[in-house]
């Protein structure tokens, strides 16, 4: 199932990037561009990260503030 339809990024790909150390939506964006076009998938990415895809929880918390920044920029 696609998480980011703008770039055709699947949930599996997001989980893989998270396992490789991308713990925030911004780091996922750097890895595969997901979230950098319309931005509507950022909350889905955040939800995947929040479900524990990334083992480093404190960085997930930073992801929440990165999301807030994205909201302000929109
Ligand atoms: S759906 Fe991901 S940037 Fe548009």
């Amino acid at each position: 199932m696609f998480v980011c339809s703008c770039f055709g990024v699947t949930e599996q790909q997001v989980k893989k990037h998270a396992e490789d150390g991308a713990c925030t939506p911004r780091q996922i964006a750097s890895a595969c561009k997901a979230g950098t076009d319309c931005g509507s998938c950022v909350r889905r990415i955040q939800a995947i990260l929040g479900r524990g895809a990334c083992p480093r929880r404190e960085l997930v918390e930073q992801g929440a503030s990165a999301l807030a920044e994205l909201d302000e920029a929109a």
Side-chain angles (χ1 to χ4, degrees), residues 1 6 8 17 19 29 41 44-46 50 64 68 71 74:
M1 169 180 157
C6 289
H17 289 307
E19 284 165 13
C41 57
R44 283 195 291 275
I45 293 168
Q46 179 69 30
D71 280 347

Side-chain angles (χ1 to χ4, degrees), residues 45-71:
I45 293 168
Q46 179 69 30
I48 292 167
L49 297 175
R51 285 205 299 266
C54 176
R56 291 144 69 198
R57 292 291 301 177
E58 72 275 17
L59 291 176
V60 174
E61 301 299 327
Q62 290 176 19
S65 57
L67 182 65
E69 286 169 29
L70 285 174
D71 280 347

Side-chain angles (χ1 to χ4, degrees), residues 3-8 33-42 44-45:
V3 172
C4 176
S5 47
C6 289
F7 293 102
K33 290 189 174 176
T36 60
D37 193 349
C38 75
S40 69
C41 57
V42 173
R44 283 195 291 275
I45 293 168

